[in-house]
Amino acid sequence: MNARERARLAAEQAAARKRDRRILIMVIAAFVVIVVAGGIAFQAWRTSRAPSSVSSVSASASPVTVTNGRPIPLGSAEAPVTITLYEDFHCPHCAEFEEKFGPTITAAQDQGKAAVELYPMSFIDAGSAAAANAMACAAEAGFGQAYYLGLFANPTLQWNDRQLVALASQVSGGGPSDSFRTCVTSRAHADWVASINSVAEANHVDQTPSMFFNSRPMDLATLTPQALQSVIDKAATP
């Protein structure tokens, strides 16, 4: 191969590499556009969609007093078992926990075997804090149990004020009161929300979900619904 042919071949190879780089850049750009557009669409869906309907709730609830640094009690105060939960309403693992263990815990509440101490943490995003505040508003209004289940039944929502008020319409047995709306939109329990995060830190709780059974930490990596049912039944037996 003479010098002229080598030069021609080198030029062709350089042109091919340049063409491949252009194609690669175009493919990457198109992929980025698709990802960004999908993210925008998903965020818009999270923000605009109303909460899905939730199953009927049989666990009883009554109005509670919301006190800084104290959990929201759900279930009978006379129950022999206390299940303490640290959860974030925007935590995907918490939604998975509720799907897996929620029916067992709710059934134990219905049977008077267990009560829940709920610490709604809010470290993921603004929706976490808004949902935690609304949870306190619902507990104060007397439908905390149903609202709690409704929040976790819709784990992908943004939880803006409109969605939080709409959820109350579904679970409270009627339209939300003006006081509930004001409680949600004014962030009436913002100090309480902050205090819950502080309590979690003081108690060395650094992940959600975290669960304690009569003050004893539970290993959620190995726990099964059947095992939880067994320890509840055992602890609740006189």
Side-chain angles (χ1 to χ4, degrees):
M1 181 182 296
N2 59 36
R4 180 177 297 177
E5 290 174 339
R6 287 197 298 269
R8 180 181 57 78
L9 181 59
E12 290 176 351
Q13 291 174 339
R17 288 194 297 269
K18 186 176 181 179
R19 182 180 64 251
D20 290 344
R21 284 197 297 271
R22 286 200 303 267
I23 293 173
L24 178 61
I25 290 171
M26 291 173 62
V27 170
I28 293 174
F31 177 75
V32 170
V33 169
I34 292 172
V35 170
V36 170
I40 292 173
F42 177 67
Q43 186 67 13
W45 176 78
R46 291 183 70 199
T47 302
S48 62
R49 185 174 71 83
S52 300
S53 59
V54 296
S55 302
S56 59
V57 177
S58 57
S60 60
S62 57
V64 302
T65 300
V66 176
T67 304
N68 284 358
R70 298 297 303 157
I72 291 175
L74 301 173
S76 171
E78 307 302 321
V81 170
T82 299
I83 296 174
T84 304
L85 297 175
Y86 292 83
E87 297 176 295
D88 187 310
F89 291 117
H90 266 177
C91 161
H93 293 303
C94 296
E96 293 169 0
F97 170 87
E98 286 298 324
E99 183 177 3
K100 184 176 182 180
F101 296 104
T104 301
I105 295 173
T106 301
Q109 290 174 274
D110 290 341
Q111 297 160 4
K113 294 181 178 180
V116 168
E117 291 181 337
L118 177 64
Y119 289 86
M121 296 171 66
S122 52
F123 62 90
I124 292 182
D125 55 23
S128 299
N133 174 79
M135 179 65 217
C137 298
E140 198 173 50
F143 53 91
Q145 179 72 33
Y147 202 80
Y148 168 75
L149 297 179
L151 286 169
F152 276 121
N154 293 274
T156 59
L157 265 64
Q158 180 65 30
W159 290 129
N160 54 40
D161 291 349
R162 180 182 57 79
Q163 292 168 328
L164 291 165
V165 171
L167 179 62
S169 298
Q170 291 191 11
V171 304
S172 64
S177 66
D178 290 340
S179 60
F180 176 82
R181 291 176 183 271
T182 301
C183 184
V184 169
T185 59
S186 69
R187 301 293 187 270
H189 294 297
D191 289 344
W192 174 81
V193 172
S195 77
I196 293 301
N197 290 332
S198 297
V199 168
E201 182 177 359
N203 290 341
H204 307 290
V205 175
D206 56 5
Q207 65 180 10
T208 57
S210 288
M211 175 181 174
F212 295 79
F213 187 93
N214 284 345
S215 300
R216 177 169 57 91
M218 302 292 286
D219 182 4
L220 298 182
T222 59
L223 187 67
T224 65
Q226 295 76 19
L228 177 58
Q229 184 67 64
S230 178
V231 295
I232 290 174
D233 291 340
K234 183 177 180 180
T237 301

